[in-house]
PDB file of all heavy atoms in Angstrom:
ATOM      1  N   SER A 394      99.524   6.888 -34.968  1.00  0.00           N
ATOM      2  CA  SER A 394      99.404   6.192 -33.692  1.00  0.00           C
ATOM      3  C   SER A 394      99.928   4.782 -33.907  1.00  0.00           C
ATOM      4  O   SER A 394      99.994   4.292 -35.044  1.00  0.00           O
ATOM      5  CB  SER A 394      97.961   6.179 -33.194  1.00  0.00           C
ATOM      6  OG  SER A 394      97.098   5.593 -34.159  1.00  0.00           O
ATOM      7  N   ALA A 395     100.310   4.119 -32.823  1.00  0.00           N
ATOM      8  CA  ALA A 395     100.944   2.815 -32.999  1.00  0.00           C
ATOM      9  C   ALA A 395     100.866   1.986 -31.719  1.00  0.00           C
ATOM     10  O   ALA A 395     100.819   2.525 -30.603  1.00  0.00           O
ATOM     11  CB  ALA A 395     102.403   2.982 -33.420  1.00  0.00           C
ATOM     12  N   THR A 396     100.883   0.678 -31.898  1.00  0.00           N
ATOM     13  CA  THR A 396     101.005  -0.282 -30.812  1.00  0.00           C
ATOM     14  C   THR A 396     102.049  -1.315 -31.203  1.00  0.00           C
ATOM     15  O   THR A 396     102.373  -1.480 -32.385  1.00  0.00           O
ATOM     16  CB  THR A 396      99.670  -1.002 -30.523  1.00  0.00           C
ATOM     17  OG1 THR A 396      99.265  -1.731 -31.688  1.00  0.00           O
ATOM     18  CG2 THR A 396      98.585  -0.002 -30.143  1.00  0.00           C
ATOM     19  N   ALA A 397     102.570  -2.022 -30.205  1.00  0.00           N
ATOM     20  CA  ALA A 397     103.597  -3.034 -30.469  1.00  0.00           C
ATOM     21  C   ALA A 397     103.364  -4.248 -29.587  1.00  0.00           C
ATOM     22  O   ALA A 397     102.775  -4.154 -28.501  1.00  0.00           O
ATOM     23  CB  ALA A 397     104.990  -2.460 -30.219  1.00  0.00           C
ATOM     24  N   ARG A 398     103.827  -5.393 -30.053  1.00  0.00           N
ATOM     25  CA  ARG A 398     103.828  -6.626 -29.280  1.00  0.00           C
ATOM     26  C   ARG A 398     105.200  -7.289 -29.443  1.00  0.00           C
ATOM     27  O   ARG A 398     105.822  -7.192 -30.500  1.00  0.00           O
ATOM     28  CB  ARG A 398     102.726  -7.582 -29.740  1.00  0.00           C
ATOM     29  CG  ARG A 398     101.317  -7.102 -29.407  1.00  0.00           C
ATOM     30  CD  ARG A 398     100.277  -8.131 -29.829  1.00  0.00           C
ATOM     31  NE  ARG A 398      98.929  -7.687 -29.555  1.00  0.00           N
ATOM     32  CZ  ARG A 398      98.290  -7.855 -28.393  1.00  0.00           C
ATOM     33  NH1 ARG A 398      98.918  -8.464 -27.401  1.00  0.00           N
ATOM     34  NH2 ARG A 398      97.055  -7.434 -28.230  1.00  0.00           N
ATOM     35  N   ILE A 399     105.639  -7.960 -28.373  1.00  0.00           N
ATOM     36  CA  ILE A 399     106.926  -8.649 -28.393  1.00  0.00           C
ATOM     37  C   ILE A 399     106.711 -10.068 -27.887  1.00  0.00           C
ATOM     38  O   ILE A 399     105.986 -10.284 -26.909  1.00  0.00           O
ATOM     39  CB  ILE A 399     107.974  -7.945 -27.506  1.00  0.00           C
ATOM     40  CG1 ILE A 399     108.054  -6.451 -27.819  1.00  0.00           C
ATOM     41  CG2 ILE A 399     109.345  -8.592 -27.686  1.00  0.00           C
ATOM     42  CD1 ILE A 399     108.982  -5.692 -26.875  1.00  0.00           C
ATOM     43  N   SER A 400     107.337 -11.037 -28.538  1.00  0.00           N
ATOM     44  CA  SER A 400     107.353 -12.408 -28.033  1.00  0.00           C
ATOM     45  C   SER A 400     108.741 -12.993 -28.261  1.00  0.00           C
ATOM     46  O   SER A 400     109.570 -12.410 -28.967  1.00  0.00           O
ATOM     47  CB  SER A 400     106.283 -13.268 -28.717  1.00  0.00           C
ATOM     48  OG  SER A 400     106.580 -13.434 -30.105  1.00  0.00           O
ATOM     49  N   ARG A 401     108.998 -14.135 -27.632  1.00  0.00           N
ATOM     50  CA  ARG A 401     110.301 -14.809 -27.783  1.00  0.00           C
ATOM     51  C   ARG A 401     110.080 -16.267 -28.134  1.00  0.00           C
ATOM     52  O   ARG A 401     109.259 -16.959 -27.518  1.00  0.00           O
ATOM     53  CB  ARG A 401     111.111 -14.712 -26.485  1.00  0.00           C
ATOM     54  CG  ARG A 401     112.469 -15.423 -26.563  1.00  0.00           C
ATOM     55  CD  ARG A 401     113.200 -15.407 -25.227  1.00  0.00           C
ATOM     56  NE  ARG A 401     112.469 -16.115 -24.191  1.00  0.00           N
ATOM     57  CZ  ARG A 401     112.490 -17.423 -24.002  1.00  0.00           C
ATOM     58  NH1 ARG A 401     113.224 -18.214 -24.799  1.00  0.00           N
ATOM     59  NH2 ARG A 401     111.797 -17.983 -23.016  1.00  0.00           N
ATOM     60  N   HIS A 402     110.824 -16.717 -29.117  1.00  0.00           N
ATOM     61  CA  HIS A 402     110.871 -18.142 -29.426  1.00  0.00           C
ATOM     62  C   HIS A 402     112.327 -18.581 -29.350  1.00  0.00           C
ATOM     63  O   HIS A 402     113.166 -18.161 -30.160  1.00  0.00           O
ATOM     64  CB  HIS A 402     110.307 -18.433 -30.813  1.00  0.00           C
ATOM     65  CG  HIS A 402     110.431 -19.870 -31.215  1.00  0.00           C
ATOM     66  ND1 HIS A 402     109.690 -20.874 -30.647  1.00  0.00           N
ATOM     67  CD2 HIS A 402     111.248 -20.479 -32.129  1.00  0.00           C
ATOM     68  CE1 HIS A 402     110.012 -22.033 -31.175  1.00  0.00           C
ATOM     69  NE2 HIS A 402     110.964 -21.834 -32.077  1.00  0.00           N
ATOM     70  N   ARG A 403     112.637 -19.381 -28.344  1.00  0.00           N
ATOM     71  CA  ARG A 403     114.007 -19.837 -28.105  1.00  0.00           C
ATOM     72  C   ARG A 403     114.952 -18.632 -28.001  1.00  0.00           C
ATOM     73  O   ARG A 403     114.815 -17.819 -27.105  1.00  0.00           O
ATOM     74  CB  ARG A 403     114.428 -20.824 -29.193  1.00  0.00           C
ATOM     75  CG  ARG A 403     113.585 -22.094 -29.178  1.00  0.00           C
ATOM     76  CD  ARG A 403     114.025 -23.076 -30.265  1.00  0.00           C
ATOM     77  NE  ARG A 403     113.211 -24.285 -30.219  1.00  0.00           N
ATOM     78  CZ  ARG A 403     113.281 -25.249 -31.111  1.00  0.00           C
ATOM     79  NH1 ARG A 403     114.144 -25.173 -32.138  1.00  0.00           N
ATOM     80  NH2 ARG A 403     112.502 -26.324 -30.999  1.00  0.00           N
ATOM     81  N   ASP A 404     115.887 -18.491 -28.935  1.00  0.00           N
ATOM     82  CA  ASP A 404     116.879 -17.417 -28.845  1.00  0.00           C
ATOM     83  C   ASP A 404     116.557 -16.236 -29.755  1.00  0.00           C
ATOM     84  O   ASP A 404     117.442 -15.423 -30.048  1.00  0.00           O
ATOM     85  CB  ASP A 404     118.266 -17.954 -29.206  1.00  0.00           C
ATOM     86  CG  ASP A 404     118.773 -18.966 -28.187  1.00  0.00           C
ATOM     87  OD1 ASP A 404     118.478 -18.779 -26.994  1.00  0.00           O
ATOM     88  OD2 ASP A 404     119.438 -19.940 -28.589  1.00  0.00           O
ATOM     89  N   ASP A 405     115.315 -16.141 -30.194  1.00  0.00           N
ATOM     90  CA  ASP A 405     114.924 -15.050 -31.092  1.00  0.00           C
ATOM     91  C   ASP A 405     113.835 -14.188 -30.445  1.00  0.00           C
ATOM     92  O   ASP A 405     112.868 -14.718 -29.877  1.00  0.00           O
ATOM     93  CB  ASP A 405     114.377 -15.594 -32.413  1.00  0.00           C
ATOM     94  CG  ASP A 405     115.427 -16.327 -33.232  1.00  0.00           C
ATOM     95  OD1 ASP A 405     116.632 -16.044 -33.037  1.00  0.00           O
ATOM     96  OD2 ASP A 405     115.040 -17.181 -34.044  1.00  0.00           O
ATOM     97  N   LEU A 406     113.992 -12.881 -30.561  1.00  0.00           N
ATOM     98  CA  LEU A 406     112.909 -11.965 -30.222  1.00  0.00           C
ATOM     99  C   LEU A 406     112.098 -11.704 -31.482  1.00  0.00           C
ATOM    100  O   LEU A 406     112.665 -11.554 -32.583  1.00  0.00           O
ATOM    101  CB  LEU A 406     113.447 -10.632 -29.697  1.00  0.00           C
ATOM    102  CG  LEU A 406     113.835 -10.519 -28.228  1.00  0.00           C
ATOM    103  CD1 LEU A 406     114.176  -9.068 -27.903  1.00  0.00           C
ATOM    104  CD2 LEU A 406     112.744 -11.017 -27.308  1.00  0.00           C
TER     105      LEU A 406
END
Side-chain angles (χ1 to χ4, degrees):
S394 57
T396 61
R398 291 183 181 273
I399 309 175
S400 66
R401 179 185 62 83
H402 176 71
R403 296 180 179 173
D404 294 325
D405 294 336
L406 277 187

